[in-house]
Amino acid sequence: MTSGTNPATTIALCGPIWAKYNLLRTANAIGLPLTGVLSEPDSVGKYANFQHSTGGTTAHASIHWTPDTGAWSIEGDIREKWLADGGTSGPLGYPVSDVSQVKDGAGTPIGYISHLTGTPATGAAAITDGNNTGVNELHGNIHARWQATGGVRGPLGFPSTDETPTPGGGGSYNHFRTPGAGADTGSVYFSWDTGTWALYGAIRERWAALGYENGYLGYPTGNEYDFLGGRRQDFQGGYVHWIPGTTTDTPYAPQRDIATADLTGDGKSDIAAIWDDGSLMLYPGDGNTHLGPAISMWPDQTWNGMRLTAGGDFNTDGKADLVAVSGAGNLYLYTGRGTITGGAALNPAIPLWPNNSWATIRDIAAGNLDDNPHADLIAIWDDGTLHTYPNLTP
């Protein structure tokens, strides 16, 4: 091949790099070679550099090959970004696609993208060049979440930042913009405690206005989902609920203890929680890992005297009951009504133990341990031993 630096000399290309070059040269997507086939720093891959399709003596593109990835080109601003991040020796790894143009649904070009292997430590990666974002990279868990939402054609659009550590440590993020937007419209946040989740639209706006992950809501703990005529997203410290025209944020109330049981009689597990103010609240489950907003399940705030709870059918009537240990060490049974009416899902307390010897019990739980319809109580004693109480009756 004629050299791009000296037309009087030739450069030899061979194998997969030669085959890829022929395809790109035919499409007028690459210029003449500036180097022959060279070895990568890892001694596994091969590469060659090329001029722009319009000429020049500076490398505008390169083709990289390994036995596992095959031969792919990378060029222009995306290539410069990749080289600045270490090229094949950096966290983004080898290209596994050519740089390709991205178009919207109307066929209008909106940017470019290159997919890369990443490394075992970082995971798969991409570099994008959006019309309104510039050139940015994303990798690993954030890249995977972005891809799962639809990538550049999804609700997040193009990344507008590189992956960046959160100011307080403990996490990282990329911001995103949809095509044509003048400011960021989405984000993906990762933390070791909460996982990797996407935020966009009105819910993200409210969360950002409250201080992002440094606000009282903290990190997201899931993606947004359908909820009560709108959309909801849960966070460490509360949730944001959007319905057309209105966006609200709600903190989770402090809870002293919780128990799980089907307290509404709909065949789905719910959570009963004692709040710090002594209220007993019900979070109805939807059977799909989500809970509804808190509903009062007791008409007053007298539960501040209770410290432990457990849920199960203790009177074998087919309705979930609640067992509670008071601060004084008494054990009570609150039989369930199977529904919430008049702010009460339970009947009045019935003493379940003849004395107050439960004061030193560390924790309790309920389950069916002997294969009969009657729920059994399990308790951890103060000395660390575990005990069962089968067939407890008032």
Side-chain angles (χ1 to χ4, degrees), residues 146-388:
W146 173 69
Q147 288 280 72
T149 67
V152 294
R153 294 184 179 87
L156 291 169
F158 286 84
S160 58
T161 67
D162 292 336
E163 181 167 337
T164 305
T166 53
S172 58
Y173 67 92
N174 280 80
H175 291 319
F176 297 82
R177 292 184 191 181
T178 53
D184 295 336
T185 54
S187 302
V188 175
Y189 271 73
F190 160 82
S191 83
W192 292 108
D193 292 334
T194 59
T196 310
W197 307 105
L199 307 101
Y200 42 84
I203 289 178
R204 177 187 179 272
E205 290 177 8
R206 174 57 65 93
W207 178 68
L210 293 168
Y212 293 91
E213 79 281 359
N214 293 314
Y216 87 85
L217 288 171
Y219 284 93
T221 57
N223 288 324
E224 64 174 57
Y225 56 92
D226 290 335
F227 183 75
L228 296 179
R231 302 283 285 174
R232 169 174 161 168
Q233 189 157 11
D234 297 325
F235 298 83
Q236 290 173 303
Y239 63 91
V240 177
H241 183 208
W242 169 88
I243 57 174
T246 304
T247 306
T248 58
D249 57 277
T250 303
Y252 295 135
Q255 286 126 19
R256 295 185 177 186
D257 196 52
I258 63 172
T260 60
D262 177 18
L263 293 161
T264 57
D266 62 357
K268 301 169 184 175
S269 292
D270 313 306
I271 289 181
I274 303 174
W275 284 9
D276 268 356
D277 65 1
S279 302
L280 181 65
M281 307 298 289
L282 176 72
Y283 295 84
D286 69 355
N288 191 31
T289 73
H290 298 130
L291 298 172
I295 304 169
S296 175
M297 60 183 298
W298 195 256
D300 55 39
Q301 295 175 304
T302 55
W303 280 74
N304 53 8
M306 300 297 177
R307 65 183 188 89
L308 300 173
T309 55
D313 185 5
F314 288 91
N315 62 355
T316 67
D317 65 353
K319 301 172 185 176
D321 313 311
L322 209 60
V323 167
V325 177
S326 73
N330 299 109
L331 184 67
Y332 295 102
L333 171 66
Y334 295 81
T335 57
R337 297 181 176 182
T339 184
I340 293 184
T341 55
L346 303 169
N347 293 307
I350 303 170
L352 196 54
W353 199 258
N355 55 47
N356 63 353
S357 58
W358 289 72
T360 58
I361 298 296
R362 291 185 183 180
D363 203 3
I364 62 172
N368 190 336
L369 302 178
D370 52 10
D371 205 25
N372 68 37
H374 197 292
D376 307 309
L377 196 64
I378 305 103
I380 301 176
W381 285 13
D382 196 39
D383 64 1
T385 55
L386 184 67
H387 297 262
T388 61

